[in-house]
Amino acid sequence: MKPKKPCKHPGCPGLTSGKYCEEHEALHRGDRATSTGRGYDSRWRRARSRFLKAHPLCVRCQEQGRLVKASVVDHIVPHRGDEKLFWDESNWQALCKNCHDSKTMTEDRYQEYRY
Ligand SMILES: [Zn+2]
Ligand SMILES: [Zn+2]
């Protein structure tokens, strides 16, 4: 049996055989989940700039014969938090800011993830 040590969380009187008492163990696991969330964000930024390099022109403007540089990767089918839809590149389209804004105003009135 290992001797119990005080919880590493500052000011916590709890004893533990690990690093933190049960309560703070859960808390610190939660911290790691948050940093994973940040990784997701940078993964999207990388994927987005790669996609815009491959699709540099706004597809909507192109349909009307205009050549406008795209700056937004839009989800054709709104993902609404669905990871599979979110990362499905066949569901992505390059849009300029104008087209994206007017699409957001006319088509999807539900909450969109903004990056
Ligand atoms: Zn503790
Ligand atoms: Zn456009």
Side-chain angles (χ1 to χ4, degrees):
M1 273 297 271
K2 278 189 264 173
K4 295 225 168 197
K5 291 173 292 189
C7 169
K8 283 237 194 307
H9 191 85
C12 176
L15 289 174
T16 174
S17 50
K19 231 174 168 183
Y20 299 102
C21 68
E22 237 173 89
E23 190 191 329
H24 288 121
E25 185 64 54
L27 191 86
H28 286 264
R29 266 202 302 275
D31 284 356
R32 273 201 291 281
T34 316
S35 56
T36 310
R38 271 186 233 115
Y40 178 85
D41 215 52
S42 67
R43 184 185 162 195
W44 167 241
R45 264 198 294 274
R46 276 200 306 275
R48 185 182 58 182
S49 67
R50 182 174 47 76
F51 187 82
L52 286 177
K53 262 188 204 129
H55 307 84
L57 295 174
C58 170
V59 291
R60 286 213 170 182
C61 290
Q62 236 177 332
E63 275 169 18
Q64 293 159 48
R66 288 179 289 150
L67 299 182
V68 177
K69 197 174 180 295
S71 58
V72 182
V73 174
D74 181 60
H75 289 88
I76 299 163
V77 179
H79 58 86
R80 287 188 251 191
D82 182 333
E83 272 205 48
K84 229 179 137 235
L85 264 182
F86 186 93
W87 292 112
D88 181 0
E89 290 194 30
S90 63
N91 188 38
W92 298 357
Q93 62 182 349
L95 292 181
C96 69
K97 199 178 176 306
N98 276 341
C99 289
H100 182 255
D101 286 353
S102 67
K103 185 201 173 199
T104 310
M105 272 187 351
T106 52
E107 282 177 25
D108 30 81
R109 296 193 178 261
Y110 26 79
Q111 245 206 315
E112 261 250 65
Y113 282 70
R114 295 192 157 269
Y115 287 101

